[in-house]
Amino acid sequence: MSDTALDVTGWTCPAPLRDRPRVVMGHGGGGALSAELVQHLFAPAFGGDVLAQLGDSAAVSLGGVRLAFSTDSYVVRPLFFPGGSIGDLAVNGTVNDLAMSGAEAAYLSCGFILEEGVEMSVVARVAEAMGAAARAAGVEVATGDTKVVEAGHGDGIYINTAGIGVIPDGVDLRPQRVVPGDVVIVSGEIGLHGVAIMSVREGLEFGVDVQSDCAALGGLVRSMLAVTPDLHVLRDPTRGGLAASLNEIAAASGAGVVIHEGRVPVPAAVANACAILGLDPHYVANEGKLVAFVPREHADAVLDAMRAHPLGRHAAVIGEAVDAHPGLVVARTALGGTRVVDLPIGEQLPRIC
């Protein structure tokens, strides 16, 4: 080798190439690939100021009434899992998307895509689970559609639900309202849904039964808004987990976010499973949790109201919005250091909802 010193000042580390000519599983994972697909393909094709909100649900005005409108599709595998089923997910997921706008969910649509050969008893179990979840959430399945595809061209059952609800006066939940000083609250233990799906899909045992946290969050949000309508933003951290939701809020608001790892409620079973599999619980999906950015002066009262609700009894303050590192999320570790909590590129575990 030459003794001449290398000049590395002009070197760069290339970003991962994501110019893909075909769809990959990561495009449905709720991470960077999903964001690129929406922002660079769908949004330009559809246009419109409402779509540009890119929230869990769209806030629209119709006849002088503020409505939240949302749609979601469910392709979870397996169809039944500890703590729920694709039917529960289809109702609760859409109800929760509406709740993240502060809306009282009212009506859902339901589209079934059935694979030829699926047992009628399975379809009946899913439909019954949907009906029970809708009644528990206080919503009505008002319209629907059914399609059948040839055997081998589906995975038993896929479901699409859309929902509408009314947004109360004075409620304005969107990431652009986040300001430095806001307190970040998570409603409970994270990672349960993803680990529950993983345990049955891969036949893994973690020493204890892990149940999905699948639940409708409308009642919890109502109790928070009863304290003050001046919440700044709510998100339910589903695909991509808590990390993805925090990154989306930071990017949209322009604020930095700091979380304290030791304050994030991670149940032992999730921590153990993630340690075994080399996963980060911050990126594992949830189906019955929310993260809230709350003005500091209201944070204690909102936290108390959350803890008084069954779905918020493990709620915790995990961080704050800051002036520093705008648009980035960082975590303070137990050792006193910091690390960047980036948006995942794809998904640790696909087909979880």
Side-chain angles (χ1 to χ4, degrees), residues 217-288:
L217 296 170
L220 177 61
V221 172
R222 261 193 315 274
S223 68
M224 297 167 67
L225 291 173
V227 174
T228 175
D230 189 31
L231 307 179
H232 283 171
V233 68
L234 302 177
R235 283 290 170 90
D236 59 332
T238 54
R239 296 174 304 168
L242 179 65
S245 291
L246 292 176
N247 271 277
E248 290 167 0
I249 293 169
S253 67
V257 177
V258 175
I259 63 171
H260 303 268
E261 283 189 337
R263 300 180 189 174
V264 178
V266 180
V270 171
N272 292 339
C274 288
I276 292 169
L277 299 170
L279 304 178
D280 184 336
H282 296 87
Y283 294 91
V284 178
N286 313 270
E287 287 293 345

Side-chain angles (χ1 to χ4, degrees), residues 4 27 47 61 65 93 97 109 116 134-135 148 150 167 185 196 207 209 227 232 251 257 307 311-312 324 337 344:
T4 304
H27 283 116
S61 293
V65 179
D97 284 345
S109 71
E116 180 185 24
R135 288 187 290 274
V148 178
E150 297 88 344
I167 302 174
I185 304 175
D209 290 333
V227 174
H232 283 171
V257 177
R307 288 176 171 171
L311 295 179

Side-chain angles (χ1 to χ4, degrees), residues 16 117 134 186 189 226 287 340:
V186 68
E189 296 175 328
E287 287 293 345
V340 174

Side-chain angles (χ1 to χ4, degrees), residues 35-337:
E36 290 173 4
L37 183 66
V38 171
Q39 293 169 7
H40 301 303
L41 192 154
F42 293 130
F46 301 149
D49 294 336
V50 175
L51 181 62
Q53 298 173 20
L54 294 180
D56 287 337
S57 60
V60 298
S61 293
L62 191 63
V65 179
R66 293 180 66 223
L67 300 174
F69 179 36
S70 184
T71 186
D72 209 339
S73 298
Y74 299 88
V75 297
V76 65
R77 179 171 56 86
L79 298 176
F80 303 93
F81 47 84
S85 71
I86 191 172
D88 302 283
L89 277 179
V91 171
N92 293 337
T94 297
V95 167
N96 291 347
D97 284 345
L98 297 173
M100 296 307 102
S101 292
E104 293 277 356
Y107 296 103
L108 302 181
S109 71
C110 172
F112 273 87
I113 300 175
L114 306 176
E115 183 182 13
E116 180 185 24
V118 66
E119 295 88 349
M120 284 292 186
S121 60
V122 172
V123 180
R125 284 180 64 193
V126 171
E128 289 166 1
M130 287 192 71
R135 288 187 290 274
V139 297
E140 180 179 348
V141 178
T143 187
D145 180 55
T146 304
K147 295 292 189 296
V148 178
V149 298
E150 297 88 344
H153 290 264
D155 200 6
I157 300 174
Y158 299 149
I159 300 175
N160 173 272
T161 50
I164 58 173
V166 177
I167 302 174
D169 291 338
V171 174
D172 182 17
L173 297 173
R174 49 192 172 89
Q176 292 78 13
R177 296 195 64 218
V178 170
V179 295
D182 281 357
V183 173
V184 182
I185 304 175
V186 68
S187 65
E189 296 175 328
I190 66 169
L192 290 165
H193 179 71
V195 171
I197 295 292
M198 193 183 314
S199 67
V200 293
R201 185 185 296 176
E202 308 299 336
L204 302 174
E205 295 184 4
F206 303 114
V208 296
D209 290 333
V210 181
Q211 299 281 318
S212 170
D213 59 345
C214 183
L217 296 170
L220 177 61
V221 172
R222 261 193 315 274
S223 68
M224 297 167 67
L225 291 173
V227 174
T228 175
D230 189 31
L231 307 179
H232 283 171
V233 68
L234 302 177
R235 283 290 170 90
D236 59 332
T238 54
R239 296 174 304 168
L242 179 65
S245 291
L246 292 176
N247 271 277
E248 290 167 0
I249 293 169
S253 67
V257 177
V258 175
I259 63 171
H260 303 268
E261 283 189 337
R263 300 180 189 174
V264 178
V266 180
V270 171
N272 292 339
C274 288
I276 292 169
L277 299 170
L279 304 178
D280 184 336
H282 296 87
Y283 294 91
V284 178
N286 313 270
E287 287 293 345
K289 300 297 185 297
L290 64 81
V291 58
F293 282 64
V294 180
R296 186 169 296 277
E297 62 268 25
H298 300 305
D300 289 342
V302 170
L303 182 63
D304 288 343
M306 294 173 73
R307 288 176 171 171
H309 191 280
L311 295 179
R313 61 183 180 275
H314 297 299
V317 172
I318 63 168
E320 54 276 327
V322 296
D323 283 309
H325 50 79
L328 292 179
V329 180
V330 302
R332 298 262 170 85
T333 69
L335 298 177

